[in-house]
Amino acid sequence: MRARIGRLDRRFLPVVGTVATLVVMLGVGQARYSTDNASFVSMRLFSNLLVDNSYLLVLAVGMTFVILTGGIDLSVGAVVALVGLTVAQLSIAGVPLPVMLVVGVLIGTLCGLLIGVMVQVFDIQPFIASLAVMFLARGLANVVSVQSLAIDDPGFAALASWSLQFGEGSGIWRVNSSMIVAAVVLLLAFYLLHYTRFGRTVYGLGSGDDGSAVRLMGLRGERTRILVYVISGTCAGIAGILFAFYTRSGFNLTGIGMELDAIAAVVIGGTLLAGGVGFVLGTGVGVLVYGLIQVLIAREGLDSWWTRVFIGIVLLAFVILQRAISVRRRS
């Protein structure tokens, strides 16, 4: 019984570290930036974090599925750019809003399917397969347009600007369409990973390179390995639309490095890069940590590139923690 509790503690340790990091950062912000008239830690703060990072949360959720299997998807940032430009061009052409949105999501789905087929059917390393699709998507984005294109569709603008507000002052909580979509994606991912046969297969694939654990459980690992990339691509398509909501435009240079931001959020959220261990709700906390770093950097008046420095420090700490946990699991 004691050993079982010990294993459970080690499994949750990265997520506990993520929550502790978030609490410490909130404490620092509360101590440094609170005034007599306004508290740093407030409903407004969390609302703004979710509004500004909804697209990243959706990207990171999709990336969690892939990393849990021991894979990686480097294409998602380029897919965000391609989706944004495609939606902008469809808007200019007068295509109805539902068609624009469906096409945008399907672009991501097809990119994910292409990666999954290369990884599973042709036994290409995920790094190489997703890198190839990244170049493909980025190239197609340049073909669509090398200029920034505004999205002027009235329905799109109305959907992007829709929001509800609750409370007053620092207690204001704003909910917009992007937050709702991100929350639905997160909850659906939580259900799939923890309450379905598919989720057990995802974790099983990450437990060993040869897939023996999956075969012993009688699960279909081949189909699941393709589906996790389809999910990641679909999430990238959704994130592309949410980012277009955020910017009201499409641009071919959008999303450069965004895949690394998503990977960082997943790792900070407690998912092991080796696969097999992690929690998608931890990824949600990891996105909050990522966003809060940006807020603290801005409050300190530092240049935006300092964000990368501090994210690198936090990421390094979590990689070291993961390594320590992995060593203990083998011992």
Side-chain angles (χ1 to χ4, degrees):
M1 182 67 176
R2 183 176 300 173
R4 182 179 179 182
I5 293 175
R7 287 196 298 272
L8 185 62
D9 289 342
R10 287 195 293 272
R11 187 182 64 170
F12 279 97
L13 189 57
V15 180
V16 172
T18 305
V19 174
T21 301
L22 180 64
V23 171
V24 168
M25 292 172 62
L26 289 172
V28 171
Q30 180 72 10
R32 288 185 60 82
Y33 309 120
S34 293
T35 64
D36 294 336
N37 298 324
S39 172
F40 175 78
V41 179
S42 63
M43 296 297 290
R44 181 195 292 270
L45 171 67
F46 289 105
S47 176
N48 289 339
L49 285 175
L50 292 173
V51 168
D52 293 339
N53 295 284
S54 294
Y55 68 90
L56 180 59
L57 177 56
V58 174
L59 271 186
V61 166
M63 190 69 71
T64 302
F65 281 85
V66 173
I67 293 179
L68 281 173
T69 65
I72 201 75
D73 187 354
L74 300 178
S75 70
V76 294
V79 171
V80 167
L82 178 58
V83 169
L85 275 173
T86 301
V87 169
Q89 283 285 23
L90 292 176
S91 171
I92 294 172
V95 174
L97 178 61
V99 176
M100 289 164 46
L101 300 180
V102 171
V103 169
V105 174
L106 287 180
I107 288 173
T109 302
L110 290 174
C111 289
L113 177 62
L114 180 57
I115 297 172
V117 169
M118 285 193 289
V119 170
Q120 179 58 43
V121 178
F122 297 99
D123 198 25
I124 298 175
Q125 289 293 323
F127 181 92
I128 301 300
S130 61
L131 186 66
V133 174
M134 180 189 78
F135 283 120
L136 174 63
R138 188 67 66 181
L140 289 175
N142 289 322
V143 170
V144 174
S145 177
V146 294
Q147 303 293 330
S148 178
L149 300 177
I151 303 175
D152 297 324
D153 181 82
F156 189 92
L159 194 57
S161 60
W162 178 88
S163 66
L164 293 174
Q165 289 192 1
F166 306 92
E168 298 179 343
S170 61
I172 286 181
W173 176 268
R174 184 161 66 97
V175 177
N176 68 357
S177 54
S178 294
M179 287 174 61
I180 293 175
V181 172
V184 170
V185 170
L186 179 63
L187 293 176
L188 181 59
F190 175 75
Y191 173 76
L192 286 175
L193 285 173
H194 297 289
Y195 294 99
T196 67
R197 184 183 181 90
F198 172 78
R200 292 193 295 272
T201 310
V202 170
Y203 279 96
L205 286 173
S207 65
D209 293 334
D210 58 357
S212 57
V214 172
R215 289 194 296 271
L216 288 173
M217 290 187 292
L219 302 175
R220 300 183 62 179
E222 297 81 4
R223 183 176 63 181
T224 300
R225 197 181 298 278
I226 295 176
L227 284 177
V228 294
Y229 288 98
V230 171
I231 290 173
S232 180
T234 301
C235 285
I238 296 172
I241 291 173
L242 297 187
F243 195 77
F245 281 170
Y246 191 69
T247 62
R248 310 289 180 87
S249 65
F251 187 41
N252 65 321
L253 298 181
T254 292
I256 293 179
M258 199 176 283
E259 62 279 352
L260 302 181
D261 295 336
I263 294 169
V266 173
V267 174
I268 292 173
T271 299
L272 268 63
L273 282 170
V277 176
F279 303 93
V280 71
L281 294 183
T283 295
V285 181
V287 171
L288 291 179
V289 170
Y290 179 94
L292 191 56
I293 290 175
Q294 294 177 309
V295 171
L296 295 178
I297 292 297
R299 286 295 188 99
E300 287 290 338
L302 299 175
D303 293 329
S304 59
W305 54 264
W306 275 103
T307 301
R308 298 292 181 182
V309 175
F310 284 98
I311 289 174
I313 293 171
V314 174
L315 184 60
L316 179 61
F318 275 89
V319 169
I320 293 173
L321 175 61
Q322 289 186 4
R323 178 61 178 172
I325 293 172
S326 297
V327 171
R328 290 192 63 183
R329 288 177 67 193
R330 288 195 298 266
S331 62

